[in-house]
Amino acid sequence: MADSVSVCVIGSGYVGLVAAVCFAEIGHRVICVDNDEARVKILRDGGVPIFEEHLPEMLAKHLGRGVEFTTELAAAVRDCDALFIAVGTPQGASGAADLSYIEAVVAEVARSIDGYKVIVEKSTVPVYTNEWIRRVLYRHGVDPSRYDVVSNPEFLREGTAIKDFLHPDRIVVGAPNERSIELLRRIYEPLTSGTYYSQPGALPGPCNSECPAKIVVTSAQSAEIIKHASNAFLALKISFINAVANLAEAVDADVEDIAEGMGLDSRIGHKFLRAGLGYGGSCFPKDVAAFHQVAQQYGVEFQLLREIRKINETQKEIFFNKVLQALWTLRGKRLAALGLAFKGNTDDIRESPAIDVIKRLLEAGAIVTAYDPAAMERAKEVLPPAQNMMYADGLFDAAQDADAVLILTDWKEFGDIDLAMLNRAVRFPIVIDGRNMYKPQLMLEHGFTYVSVGRPANYLAQEGKPRKFAN
Ligand SMILES: NC(=O)c1ccc[n+]([C@@H]2O[C@H](COP(=O)([O-])OP(=O)(O)OC[C@H]3O[C@@H](n4cnc5c(N)ncnc54)[C@H](O)[C@@H]3O)[C@@H](O)[C@H]2O)c1
């Protein structure tokens, strides 16, 4: 078993909660602090506030044993050796990350430090945040011998967060000295030595005892940039293939074939070469903006980052035009919207392209009935139920008598629809697919007009193809 460390995780959102239960899973004693009392109560009562595979079982396994939840930061700080800050770093008005939650936490920590602690940035933060954390502690009168500040960015993806945490591609530790590196090595030792993977009940995944997780040790600045640069690069891949998709459409080529041909090159790879409605979520949009802002602050022109964002924004407009082109007018049209979450397997709707598209359709006078396997409750907060905005219990309910079905999120269940049944449910057999979930030929065989991204649109022969709009 691990050389157990007392860990405090501040923030119990997607990152903090997952980190807290996974640290308990690898043998540490964890206190997870959140200032949202309602959330802490749910967690203490064994509730799971977010939709995430394996999280309910992990939480049930460790609650009250390896992991506790509290609102009392001061006591948690005193009891721990390492403090992981996992609070939000949302996008501020200028595009830069709003670091006020981090500063508030650090100021509070400063009041409670009573011995040596390693303060770890788990949240995604711009370069030099580590220096600001040190400065805030110093200004609050904390003796610098009592802390080190380490950057340990998190790379988990919502939907596969627990598995990503326990089977990471790499663990990045940006630290100023051996003492703090040593503590982080101890914390992650069950993953880097592989002992966790040979334990009974260990979550299976790509790492194993022969091929354990790798740790990369850098300076704090480099670690901070690794996170921003990684997210910006993944966003770039998505925007790149979306730009290629638009060209493919213009010349009657097929972006799925193009992505296949490109992705087989081992230097490129298939991942994130998926054309569609563009990226969303709580990370890519804000991180690309924050990275751009940081580059500008330090006098570096990084125009490519502006272009990534521009392509991503345009992608939603292009999709809206596809709907318009397929349906001619939108006022009073009944549209089934399949998907609200920013991607499949999550209930997160932050910066979801699906939500933006639905808002645009409502503005144009359409009547939308939405269905999402997990995100409907969250969506109702930003798209309240109304006469023109309805929520259905299942995808066929949503599709009943629809003038068209729109696929907006890549949930697996939206790629496995009984197409004969769908055809019977709808008013007109038109599917406009923002996630390329189907082969156009299959849709044609099932009698659908099918419009997707980066592939020639299939209109039923009798209908004829409308002229393409210039976007
Ligand atoms: N969500 C992801 O997929 C993901 C992946 C990698 C990195 N990140 C980064 O991790 C950070 C957290 O993201 P998230 O999605 O978990 O955010 P979140 O909004 O889901 O959770 C943040 C939590 O912090 C709590 N909090 C805020 N201020 C607090 C305070 N002073 N004391 C205690 N708790 C406080 C909030 O109540 C909330 O529960 C962000 O910087 C994000 O960019 C997120």
Side-chain angles (χ1 to χ4, degrees):
M1 209 25 159
D3 177 7
S4 185
V5 177
S6 287
V7 171
C8 169
V9 178
I10 308 172
S12 65
Y14 286 85
V15 169
L17 181 54
V18 168
V21 295
C22 290
F23 283 141
E25 170 75 1
I26 60 174
H28 303 302
R29 297 180 304 281
V30 185
I31 305 183
C32 185
V33 186
D34 204 295
N35 61 358
D36 179 339
E37 285 180 18
R39 194 174 182 88
V40 169
K41 182 167 179 345
I42 293 173
L43 287 162
R44 277 183 162 169
D45 291 345
V48 189
I50 54 173
F51 178 90
E52 198 56 63
E53 201 183 5
H54 305 300
L55 184 58
E57 309 89 273
M58 281 286 175
L59 206 49
K61 183 172 166 191
H62 297 294
L63 183 64
R65 287 177 278 273
V67 67
E68 285 171 42
F69 296 94
T70 180
T71 52
E72 300 298 318
L73 181 62
V77 171
R78 283 192 291 273
D79 286 347
C80 73
D81 302 312
L83 259 145
F84 286 76
I85 303 177
V87 299
T89 48
Q91 189 173 330
S94 66
D98 174 356
L99 299 171
S100 56
Y101 297 94
I102 302 263
E103 185 174 8
V105 165
V106 175
E108 225 181 313
V109 167
R111 288 193 278 278
S112 317
I113 286 195
D114 60 346
Y116 177 74
K117 311 283 170 192
V118 173
I119 296 169
V120 188
E121 305 166 352
K122 200 59 164 154
S123 301
T124 302
V125 290
V127 64
Y128 281 134
T129 299
N130 70 92
E131 275 198 357
W132 273 107
I133 293 178
R134 266 199 299 275
R135 203 165 285 133
V136 170
L137 291 166
Y138 175 77
R139 286 179 183 170
H140 281 79
V142 186
D143 184 333
S145 67
R146 293 204 153 174
Y147 58 86
D148 279 312
V149 181
V150 170
S151 165
N152 170 224
E154 184 47 58
F155 300 97
L156 63 77
R157 295 159 296 177
E158 288 176 21
T160 51
I162 299 273
K163 193 179 261 182
D164 291 343
F165 196 98
L166 293 169
H167 293 267
D169 289 337
R170 76 299 206 189
I171 296 162
V172 173
V173 174
N177 53 36
E178 262 314 307
R179 188 181 187 190
S180 54
I181 293 170
E182 193 40 43
L183 187 68
L184 270 285
R185 281 195 196 280
R186 263 176 66 202
I187 292 172
Y188 285 108
E189 194 272 342
L191 304 181
T192 55
S193 68
T195 51
Y196 169 69
Y197 306 111
S198 45
Q199 222 171 264
L203 188 80
C207 296
N208 56 51
S209 48
E210 267 90 64
C211 185
K214 293 175 195 68
I215 193 160
V216 179
V217 178
T218 69
S219 70
Q221 277 90 296
S222 298
E224 288 163 340
I225 291 181
I226 287 172
K227 176 63 192 177
H228 263 165
S230 300
N231 273 4
F233 193 79
L234 293 172
L236 164 76
K237 273 187 103 174
I238 296 171
S239 280
F240 188 86
I241 200 66
N242 279 335
V244 172
N246 297 333
L247 175 63
E249 264 178 44
V251 300
D252 276 343
D254 182 328
V255 75
E256 294 298 321
D257 291 343
I258 296 168
E260 172 70 5
M262 287 172 65
L264 283 170
D265 185 326
S266 58
R267 294 167 302 177
I268 298 173
H270 285 113
K271 290 184 180 162
F272 285 77
L273 273 193
R274 289 292 316 273
L277 275 180
Y279 60 78
S282 66
C283 294
F284 286 2
K286 83 165 170 62
D287 292 347
V288 176
F291 198 31
H292 193 204
Q293 189 69 24
V294 163
Q296 279 179 331
Q297 249 171 26
Y298 292 96
V300 175
E301 268 305 319
F302 205 156
Q303 291 293 348
L304 181 61
L305 297 173
R306 190 193 307 278
E307 210 50 40
I308 294 170
R309 294 163 69 191
K310 197 168 133 203
I311 293 170
N312 200 55
E313 281 311 304
T314 312
Q315 209 58 15
K316 290 176 268 195
E317 198 54 29
I318 292 175
F319 184 81
F320 175 78
N321 279 339
K322 282 183 176 159
V323 179
L324 212 52
Q325 192 176 3
L327 299 181
W328 192 20
T329 64
L330 290 181
R331 188 157 304 283
K333 291 265 164 76
R334 284 181 43 81
L335 304 178
L338 302 187
L340 294 157
F342 82 92
K343 64 172 188 175
N345 263 349
T346 179
D347 59 353
D348 199 343
I349 56 150
R350 290 179 285 185
E351 303 289 325
S352 170
I355 300 280
D356 289 346
V357 166
I358 292 173
K359 283 185 176 162
R360 189 82 168 79
L361 296 168
L362 292 173
E363 275 165 22
I367 300 165
V368 176
T369 305
Y371 167 70
D372 187 287
M376 293 205 285
E377 286 317 306
R378 285 182 198 270
K380 284 176 189 169
E381 290 164 21
V382 292
L383 290 171
Q387 271 183 343
N388 62 345
M389 181 66 226
M390 288 166 280
Y391 291 87
D393 290 336
L395 73 89
F396 291 107
D397 289 341
Q400 196 61 45
D401 296 325
D403 289 299
V405 174
L406 316 184
I407 303 179
L408 305 178
T409 305
D410 59 347
W411 279 98
K412 189 174 173 302
E413 102 173 62
F414 298 157
D416 292 333
I417 303 175
D418 179 334
L419 295 173
M421 201 165 148
L422 186 69
N423 200 328
R424 284 195 296 276
V426 294
R427 180 153 181 247
F428 297 120
I430 301 170
V431 172
I432 306 164
D433 182 356
R435 298 295 177 182
N436 285 4
M437 303 290 276
Y438 289 92
K439 294 234 183 295
Q441 186 54 33
L442 181 77
M443 295 305 273
L444 208 54
E445 283 162 18
H446 282 84
F448 284 98
T449 280
Y450 180 65
V451 180
S452 57
V453 179
R455 302 184 289 185
N458 268 344
Y459 279 82
L460 298 175
Q462 303 85 325
E463 273 199 27
K465 194 169 177 171
R467 285 175 201 283
K468 191 169 176 348
F469 295 169
N471 286 302

